[in-house]
Amino acid sequence: MMLEKIKEIQEEVEKFSVDTKEQLENFRLSFLSRNGKVSALFDDFKQVAGDQKRAVGQELNKLKKLAEERFSTWQSSLENTTQDQKSRLDLSLPVVPFTLGSRHPITLVRERIIQIFERMGFSVSEGPEIEDDWHNFSALNFPPDHPAREMQDTFFIEKNPDITLRTHTSSVQVRVMETTKPPIRTLSPGRVFRNEAISARAHCVFHQVEGMYIDKNVSFADLKNTLYHFVKEMFGKDTKIRFRPSFFPFTEPSAEIDISCIICKGKGCRICKQSGWVEIGGAGMMHPNVLENSKIDSSVYSGFAFGMGLERMSMLKYQINDLRLFTENDVRFLRQFTAAE
Ligand code: DAH
């Protein structure tokens, strides 16, 4: 009797179809609610004779499970369709705006420099930012009492033996020479550190790119021609270049590299302090001691090297007047840069 009733209601549940929220609610009221048919069966169950309780109970539980499963399947599919319909509904809505980031001006300038030198056969090499004394100073022919070795100029991590934050990317020169046989043509961009108070014109963290070319018969004329080509590619074909005699422990002879001011085209302005020229870096012929320190025979090979500041070039290229802007992460500044050309 009771089993028949269960079967009857099971068939009803199986026949029921639900397409709307209202139908789902009807289903719930008819079968699953406190006054629904399944609940009523549970009330009747109390009257079932003891020896049948087990068999009836099993069927009853199956029915309850069936009804509950159907209910939750319909419920979730109805929820999904309403969401789908919602998003399908208004195809005329404007798309959610998606802001693309832009590359940092230092990155843009670095990539442009690499591009120019790669075409002249230069590779890119990198080295560690934490450097030992040998690679940052000694191998580069710095005498033991050179002022750059003072605490006021250099960040030391450890003393005796000295470990520093590299003060220039020239340290990478040494690492490349130690591991590569000439001919060598390489470019080493990277971050460098100096113990300086932060202002519009100085920072304790900045970027350089070091370049080096070692082969037989490399001369100062090759250095001039290479940089001459670079400057025209980087800043435009009317840009002029000049070399001023200077001193670096690792090059002999040494020079400062100036370019004609790209803001005033050499006429004289605030940026070039009315001189018409701005400095972009240093250069020179590799000192024989530096070659020998890295086990390169200076009687066979010669080479040139140069080092330039990425911030300086970026400031000139984009007319940026404060070094702090590079590190402040102000999006109003950053989003102005899209390409280096
Ligand atoms: N290392 C120098 C500096 O940080 C820059 C430099 C000058 C690098 C002359 C060179 C060079 O390779 O030949 O000021």
Side-chain angles (χ1 to χ4, degrees):
M1 169 67 186
M2 180 77 184
L3 281 172
E4 267 166 35
K5 229 174 170 179
I6 293 175
K7 194 141 181 54
E8 228 175 83
I9 293 175
Q10 187 190 324
E11 273 164 18
E12 271 185 56
V13 168
E14 276 164 357
K15 271 190 213 142
F16 212 100
S17 78
V18 166
D19 289 314
T20 63
K21 283 204 158 159
E22 288 76 358
Q23 286 167 341
L24 183 68
E25 181 59 3
N26 279 342
F27 180 82
R28 192 187 68 80
L29 289 171
S30 317
F31 298 100
L32 293 171
S33 71
R34 187 72 278 274
N35 301 318
K37 293 178 184 170
V38 178
S39 312
L41 285 175
F42 274 94
D43 290 338
D44 296 346
F45 182 66
K46 290 177 197 135
Q47 265 83 61
V48 172
D51 57 344
Q52 286 174 32
K53 267 209 153 75
R54 201 179 136 83
V56 175
Q58 270 178 3
E59 288 309 302
L60 195 52
N61 277 327
K62 263 195 223 156
L63 171 63
K64 184 173 179 229
K65 215 169 145 214
L66 175 78
E68 280 171 347
E69 276 172 358
R70 301 211 131 199
F71 179 81
S72 64
T73 316
W74 284 321
Q75 190 179 40
S76 57
S77 81
L78 275 174
E79 259 165 29
N80 288 343
T81 33
T82 34
Q83 259 168 20
D84 272 4
Q85 274 163 359
K86 252 190 228 150
S87 55
R88 262 193 234 124
L89 259 178
D90 202 348
L91 288 174
S92 64
L93 273 178
V95 283
V96 181
F98 178 76
T99 345
L100 267 185
S102 53
R103 279 177 298 170
H104 194 280
I106 298 291
T107 307
L108 289 169
V109 163
R110 187 188 59 214
E111 286 178 359
R112 179 77 185 120
I113 295 172
I114 292 174
Q115 209 178 53
I116 297 168
F117 279 97
E118 268 179 347
R119 275 194 244 130
M120 292 191 270
F122 281 70
S123 64
V124 176
S125 45
E126 291 190 333
E129 292 177 348
I130 297 175
E131 217 17 306
D132 52 29
D133 175 88
W134 173 254
H135 293 96
N136 198 75
F137 294 127
S138 297
L140 289 164
N141 206 31
F142 278 76
D145 56 353
H146 192 281
R149 293 172 181 258
E150 300 290 320
M151 298 286 254
Q152 305 91 280
D153 293 310
T154 302
F155 290 116
F156 285 88
I157 291 190
E158 274 169 34
K159 285 292 258 174
N160 294 323
D162 292 354
I163 306 288
T164 66
L165 293 181
R166 67 177 175 197
T167 57
H168 51 185
T169 42
S170 305
S171 55
V172 187
Q173 270 190 17
V174 181
R175 290 187 175 273
V176 173
M177 285 191 291
E178 282 171 344
T179 51
T180 322
K181 273 198 159 46
I184 299 172
R185 256 178 287 182
T186 196
L187 205 62
S188 315
R191 200 151 53 150
V192 301
F193 307 84
R194 288 189 199 169
N195 197 353
E196 303 246 17
I198 298 172
S199 71
R201 315 190 115 250
H203 206 293
C204 56
V205 182
F206 56 101
H207 298 77
Q208 286 188 335
V209 57
E210 177 81 13
M212 169 174 71
Y213 179 22
I214 305 173
D215 203 345
K216 291 175 182 154
N217 302 319
V218 176
S219 71
F220 202 92
D222 297 314
L223 166 62
K224 280 181 92 170
N225 224 350
T226 307
L227 291 177
Y228 179 78
H229 174 73
F230 162 71
V231 156
K232 296 200 175 243
E233 288 284 301
M234 185 75 190
F235 296 103
K237 65 174 175 19
D238 297 330
T239 317
K240 293 190 187 65
I241 187 167
R242 77 174 182 190
F243 292 82
R244 267 181 300 121
S246 184
F247 173 80
F248 298 102
F250 35 91
T251 43
E252 185 58 39
S254 306
E256 308 278 351
I257 316 158
D258 290 346
I259 59 168
S260 55
C261 181
I262 57 171
I263 317 282
C264 64
K265 306 273 180 260
K267 287 192 201 76
C269 68
R270 201 174 50 85
I271 303 290
C272 60
K273 301 206 198 84
Q274 310 306 328
S275 72
W277 295 93
V278 281
E279 188 191 315
I280 58 164
M285 298 308 291
M286 307 274 301
H287 196 293
N289 290 356
V290 174
L291 295 170
E292 296 294 337
N293 282 341
S294 301
K295 313 266 180 300
I296 291 179
D297 188 344
S298 62
S299 64
V300 179
Y301 291 104
S302 57
F304 66 72
F306 56 87
M308 298 182 288
L310 292 186
E311 276 80 359
R312 168 52 75 95
M313 277 189 274
S314 186
M315 286 169 100
L316 287 173
K317 192 147 184 92
Y318 298 116
Q319 306 189 19
I320 298 165
N321 58 11
D322 192 322
L323 206 49
R324 290 166 292 197
L325 287 163
F326 290 118
T327 43
E328 279 170 351
N329 265 351
D330 187 332
V331 287
R332 289 168 304 179
F333 171 73
L334 294 172
R335 69 170 158 232
Q336 298 175 52
F337 306 95
T338 48
E341 286 182 286

